[in-house]
Amino acid sequence: MTRIAVIEKEKCNPKACGDYLCIRICPINRTGEECIVKGEDSKAKINTELCTGCGICPKRCPYSAIHIVNLPEALDQEPIHRYGKNGFHLYSLPTPMFGKVVGVLGVNGIGKSTAIKILAGILKPNLGREKESEFSELVQYFKGSEAQLFFEKVRDGKIRIGYKPQMIELIPKSFKGKVIDLLRKVDEKNKLDEIVDMLDLKDFLDTDISKVSGGELQRVAIAATVLKDANLYIFDEPTSYLDIKQRIKVSKFIRNLADENTAVIAVEHDLIILDYMADLVNIMYGEKGAYGIVSLPKPTKAGINVFLEGYLKEDNIRFRDAQIKFTPRMPTKEVEKPLLISWSMIKKKLGDFELHAEEGKLRKRDVCGILGENGIGKTTFAKIMAGVLDKDSGMMDNIIRVSYKPQYLESSSDELVASFLHNAITKFEVQLVRPLNLKDLFEKKLNELSGGELQKVAIAHCLSQDADLYLLDEPSAYLDVEQRLLVSKIMRDMMEQGHKSCLVVDHDLLFIDYLSDEIIVFDGKPARHGSVHGPFSMAGGMNRFLEGLNITMRRDAESHRPRINKPESQMDRKQKSEGKLYYS
Ligand code: SF4
Ligand code: SF4
């Protein structure tokens, strides 16, 4: 059995743990040998030849920085890449296939971006050694698999790559100028006009790249990628910041890129969109921060169900203790819930934009999802409810305390997480701190957190405030599938137990489906006017919302997760003719 030892260096804090606690407690060190030593970078370093795998140091390290892992027997091979001696190990890679969109599905910290960067040629793998490998060695490493053919083509200069990185926020830092200038610069195919049309970029072509919104920047990044004359297109999280309408449009666009001469790979956390976009999926599993393994490709529907189940039958590997379950929604019993707040005829004008909210009410213990396009006033409405923004006219019948998590998170503060989360730590250890694994972040400053870490901290902060209503704007951003579903459960439980209410603006329909009792729908024209309708029942709200998108949804027979029907399929036509666009 192969054993690996990994130290997450950013977590290792020898001064704070009591001067190399692990060195002092390791039974091998206590016999006088040097199993754990002080590394050149002052962090702990483990000699795997001496380590017996007793499991003491991972349990005792107060920062969960150590992983000692016995790898599955089938994995008797060197990693494709290793970040230093005690660093993260990646085994195998997703497989690009001509004519197909291959999706990559896995939790954060499992090596998805590393794998993608290797395929994109940005990171040269080292096969677990100290130096980069030659292509001939990679061909040898993958002998007998699809990946061998791929690396042969790379070696022979037959693969040209277009790559959209995950962190689109960095684009304005490396390029200054207007959107059109950036796109002209990269247009190797001479297809600028066509792509601008397909991705709806016309309205902001002359805008400076530093001024466009997140959703616009994402579409610019996708356009810049496909304007490259490539035969392998790689998209790392192509739908972050996009609303549902844009997600569907972009998924169709990405699907259509794959042909006999073009392969596409996409990492995506929105399962409904991944299902819609990909032909096959590679599941990535392992241990966060320690190692990652890529499964063989599976047809998308089966692959997503295997991921939710957490069990790879052919390898007999359980990679998650519990199955993620979706239960078909039963017609909700009309339980009398006390009224929290009601509103009528609210109006707000902001520059050229006008918001109008008819009549609505929220009751205690309601968890209400908010759906609508970008730029249609969802955040404005949330801010009015939160009292952060004044309304011009209209009525709200109650004064309630509101705790608000904004869409874009500020991370410039150097306050420690432990101090920022004081309320959560003192009052919600069981409900928030433990399930969200926040303890490991306590010693970090807010401005040192990754997108996903900052999102978890912001959610915990919002939910730990003393309030009547919790408004969370896009809490799924930067979270992986498991974290999204965990956050939904936490919110539902806290609202039920505390007799509080929650409004959640989000674009991930699976997340909204998992979370909500009711739905508020926004319609109108982005940047011009928006109207607020509801709350409706789930079926009523989703029906109204899906009508605007011209799609229908059903539940998967096996996993009960929501899926989009193929346009014009039998189910699609049946559901449309019955006026039931959303499964019940
Ligand atoms: Fe201390 Fe943990 Fe680092 Fe060892 S790995 S030095 S116990 S923080
Ligand atoms: Fe020492 Fe290995 Fe045991 Fe850790 S797991 S205490 S390194 S023998």
Side-chain angles (χ1 to χ4, degrees):
M1 185 173 289
T2 316
R3 179 176 306 122
I4 59 169
V6 174
I7 309 264
E8 287 188 73
K9 297 215 167 159
E10 67 285 3
K11 287 188 180 173
C12 173
N13 192 344
K15 277 191 201 136
C17 75
D19 199 16
Y20 297 93
L21 176 67
C22 50
I23 295 185
R24 290 187 283 113
I25 53 157
C26 171
I28 307 297
N29 280 54
R30 294 178 86 141
T31 64
E33 295 206 70
E34 294 203 314
C35 179
I36 313 185
V37 294
K38 210 195 247 189
E40 304 80 56
D41 53 2
S42 310
K43 307 281 178 173
K45 185 172 157 189
I46 297 181
N47 181 348
T48 26
E49 322 258 92
L50 294 177
C51 169
T52 59
C54 74
I56 293 176
C57 64
K59 276 204 198 99
R60 294 285 302 279
C61 169
Y63 298 104
S64 313
I66 307 178
H67 303 262
I68 305 285
V69 185
N70 292 320
L71 292 171
E73 266 166 45
L75 211 69
D76 191 17
Q77 63 187 39
E78 289 303 322
I80 170 96
H81 190 71
R82 192 182 66 186
Y83 288 100
K85 195 145 178 36
N86 285 154
F88 182 87
H89 292 50
L90 175 70
Y91 293 89
S92 56
L93 290 173
T95 327
M97 287 184 203
F98 288 97
K100 304 268 185 230
V101 177
V102 176
V104 181
L105 178 56
V107 296
N108 286 339
I110 209 89
K112 295 189 302 299
S113 289
T114 300
I116 289 297
K117 281 183 190 157
I118 292 175
L119 288 175
I122 290 168
L123 178 70
K124 199 87 186 287
N126 56 22
L127 300 180
R129 299 180 305 227
E130 302 305 317
K131 62 172 183 50
E132 291 180 350
S133 310
E134 298 304 322
F135 282 121
S136 54
E137 293 176 287
L138 293 174
V139 170
Q140 189 60 31
Y141 180 92
F142 285 111
K143 209 166 176 33
S145 69
E146 283 271 345
Q148 177 192 349
L149 302 176
F150 173 73
F151 279 105
E152 276 173 2
K153 288 200 174 100
V154 176
R155 179 195 60 198
D156 302 341
K158 289 184 183 154
I159 299 283
R160 300 177 310 280
I161 292 156
Y163 166 62
K164 188 211 78 73
Q166 178 192 29
M167 302 290 286
I168 53 164
E169 301 84 345
L170 302 178
I171 297 173
K173 292 197 175 123
S174 58
F175 179 86
K176 306 277 172 225
K178 293 178 185 170
V179 169
I180 184 76
D181 301 331
L182 168 71
L183 295 179
R184 274 203 193 112
K185 206 172 148 195
V186 293
D187 184 13
E188 295 174 357
K189 287 181 177 167
N190 220 356
K191 281 193 168 176
L192 183 63
D193 293 342
E194 194 182 317
I195 300 294
V196 162
D197 244 17
M198 289 167 102
L199 290 170
D200 279 340
L201 311 180
K202 229 184 266 139
D203 291 347
F204 51 90
L205 280 177
D206 286 323
T207 309
D208 195 273
I209 200 90
S210 62
K211 299 276 186 317
V212 295
S213 72
E216 289 165 348
L217 189 59
Q218 185 68 267
R219 283 178 286 149
V220 172
I222 293 171
T225 307
V226 300
L227 283 171
K228 280 193 79 175
D229 184 16
N231 54 1
L232 169 60
Y233 292 102
I234 301 177
F235 299 94
D236 199 347
E237 301 192 23
T239 69
S240 324
Y241 298 113
L242 299 184
D243 64 34
I244 299 167
K245 205 170 183 178
Q246 291 159 353
R247 285 180 189 206
I248 290 173
K249 201 163 192 178
V250 160
S251 333
K252 279 188 192 157
F253 176 80
I254 289 179
R255 268 201 83 86
N256 289 336
L257 286 175
D259 61 28
E260 53 181 340
N261 300 315
T262 315
V264 179
I265 289 212
V267 175
E268 180 58 55
H269 289 305
D270 182 330
L271 286 190
I272 291 180
I273 291 302
L274 180 73
D275 190 26
Y276 196 59
M277 176 162 57
D279 300 296
L280 298 160
V281 293
N282 282 118
I283 296 168
M284 286 193 70
Y285 62 98
E287 194 171 313
K288 280 185 192 186
Y291 75 102
I293 302 175
V294 186
S295 78
L296 289 172
K298 298 177 183 311
T300 304
K301 178 181 163 203
I304 293 179
N305 287 352
V306 165
F307 177 77
L308 294 173
E309 205 179 328
Y311 177 62
L312 277 165
K313 209 167 168 189
E314 66 274 21
D315 301 320
N316 191 21
I317 287 172
R318 176 152 288 290
F319 55 88
R320 191 183 324 100
D321 292 339
Q323 188 184 353
I324 296 174
K325 282 189 193 146
F326 291 84
T327 35
R329 213 169 269 277
M330 298 298 157
T332 40
K333 260 197 267 153
E334 244 333 295
V335 193
E336 218 23 73
K337 294 181 186 171
L339 184 73
L340 176 71
I341 188 171
S342 67
W343 61 87
S344 67
M345 306 312 283
I346 289 185
K347 283 197 175 155
K348 176 76 192 170
K349 205 165 181 339
L350 279 175
D352 290 340
F353 179 77
E354 208 166 342
L355 177 76
H356 173 228
E358 295 173 340
E359 262 191 340
K361 61 172 187 253
L362 276 177
R363 295 162 308 167
K364 288 189 182 170
R365 310 207 312 272
D366 273 348
V367 178
C368 183
I370 298 187
L371 294 173
E373 284 180 67
N374 276 337
I376 207 152
K378 298 188 302 299
T379 310
T380 306
F381 182 62
K383 283 185 176 166
I384 293 175
M385 301 275 286
V388 177
L389 199 65
D390 285 335
K391 56 189 183 313
D392 296 340
S393 60
M395 200 271 306
M396 271 198 188
D397 77 332
N398 211 348
I399 296 173
I400 53 171
R401 294 160 308 159
V402 178
S403 175
Y404 174 61
K405 185 204 80 68
Q407 178 182 24
Y408 296 109
L409 303 172
E410 273 290 337
S411 62
S412 53
S413 158
D414 60 5
E415 185 179 356
L416 280 184
V417 171
S419 129
F420 185 64
L421 288 184
H422 179 260
N423 267 3
I425 295 168
T426 49
K427 297 186 200 153
F428 298 101
E429 161 79 22
V430 177
Q431 295 97 322
L432 291 169
V433 175
R434 268 196 241 158
L436 289 173
N437 238 332
L438 296 170
K439 206 169 153 218
D440 291 349
L441 306 176
F442 284 176
E443 302 292 319
K444 285 193 175 179
K445 293 173 182 163
L446 289 175
N447 58 14
E448 290 170 349
L449 300 178
S450 70
E453 290 170 341
L454 190 61
Q455 186 68 267
K456 285 198 297 180
V457 167
I459 292 170
H461 182 261
C462 172
L463 294 177
S464 63
Q465 303 307 301
D466 202 8
D468 307 298
L469 177 67
Y470 297 85
L471 286 177
L472 293 105
D473 202 346
E474 297 213 40
S476 79
Y478 296 111
L479 299 185
D480 63 41
V481 181
E482 286 184 13
Q483 291 166 333
R484 287 176 193 198
L485 299 179
L486 174 70
V487 162
S488 325
K489 190 170 175 322
I490 291 173
M491 286 196 231
R492 288 192 68 92
D493 289 350
M494 285 186 72
M495 297 310 122
E496 191 59 41
Q497 288 157 10
H499 287 224
K500 308 286 175 143
S501 310
C502 189
L503 279 178
V504 182
V505 177
D506 213 279
H507 296 306
D508 181 338
L509 279 183
L510 185 127
F511 177 67
I512 286 286
D513 176 87
Y514 206 73
L515 176 83
S516 318
D517 307 310
E518 296 187 322
I519 294 285
I520 290 178
V521 182
F522 276 68
D523 57 23
K525 193 168 179 341
R528 291 279 173 250
H529 58 92
S531 298
V532 187
H533 308 279
F536 302 105
S537 65
M538 274 305 280
M542 288 297 281
N543 241 356
R544 182 170 185 137
F545 180 66
L546 295 183
E547 203 176 343
L549 295 175
N550 195 25
I551 59 171
T552 58
M553 291 179 80
R554 70 182 185 287
R555 282 197 185 273
D556 178 58
E558 196 182 315
S559 65
H560 303 302
R561 70 188 153 89
R563 304 184 69 194
I564 296 177
N565 289 318
K566 260 210 190 94
E568 290 309 309
S569 65
Q570 207 187 343
M571 280 296 257
D572 184 58
R573 276 187 278 129
K574 180 170 179 284
Q575 286 184 231
K576 276 182 183 155
S577 72
E578 289 171 358
K580 288 185 180 165
L581 309 186
Y582 172 76
Y583 50 78
S584 54

